[in-house]
Amino acid sequence: MTGTGITAPAEELIRFGPGADLSVELTCGEAQMGTYTLRLWTPDGLSVVRKARGSFMDEVEDRYALLAPPDANAEHLLQCRARVWLIQGHRKYAVFMTVKQGGTVIGEAREVDQTDEPTVVVDLRARLRQA
């Protein structure tokens, strides 16, 4: 038997149209703290086109522009890997990766769950597809 037995998380399919540029916004719910790495992968998954790192604990806006024009994002994979530290006594956490075209939400990948662990790693993925 070969391999690690680890499977990739499911990909959300997010469809976009012509027109306004695309952006992605990252948020962490349930009053939890965390950090993340955001990557925009080429359609074949071999190269990273854009990369950003951030924190849910600072005042910096967690919103990033994607490639322009919008059709340049076709079939690209958007990935957010976040590490969330749970506030003592709380078990619930939530991480959202929201894609917008212009100011309109067109799709979202999310993990909303609970754990007994003090930290959790969340891996969100979305495939961008031109409508």
Side-chain angles (χ1 to χ4, degrees):
M1 177 182 233
T2 61
T4 63
I6 298 172
T7 59
E11 294 178 6
E12 293 294 325
L13 180 61
I14 298 178
R15 295 185 186 276
F16 63 90
D21 287 342
L22 301 177
S23 63
V24 59
E25 185 174 3
L26 303 169
T27 53
C28 186
E30 300 296 333
Q32 304 298 2
M33 301 180 295
T35 59
Y36 61 84
T37 301
L38 177 70
R39 292 179 180 93
L40 181 64
W41 294 87
T42 55
D44 61 11
L46 298 177
S47 301
V48 175
V49 180
R50 296 254 166 103
K51 183 177 179 180
R53 293 177 194 255
S55 168
F56 300 119
M57 302 173 285
D58 57 25
E59 298 297 320
V60 178
E61 187 173 51
D62 298 303
R63 183 177 295 151
Y64 302 92
L66 297 179
L67 301 175
D71 63 350
N73 295 285
E75 298 305 319
H76 283 60
L77 178 67
L78 190 58
Q79 177 193 28
C80 172
R81 180 162 295 155
R83 179 176 302 275
V84 178
W85 291 270
L86 279 75
I87 298 170
Q88 187 173 2
H90 294 267
R91 296 178 55 214
K92 294 181 181 179
Y93 67 92
V95 179
F96 303 92
M97 181 172 69
T98 306
V99 179
K100 296 180 178 182
Q101 186 162 22
T104 304
V105 173
I106 59 170
E108 182 176 75
R110 71 170 96 188
E111 184 172 320
V112 178
D113 206 347
Q114 59 184 18
T115 182
D116 291 325
E117 299 298 322
T119 64
V120 65
V121 174
V122 174
D123 193 1
L124 302 176
R125 295 172 186 224
R127 181 71 59 179
L128 303 172
R129 183 158 296 159
Q130 191 168 8

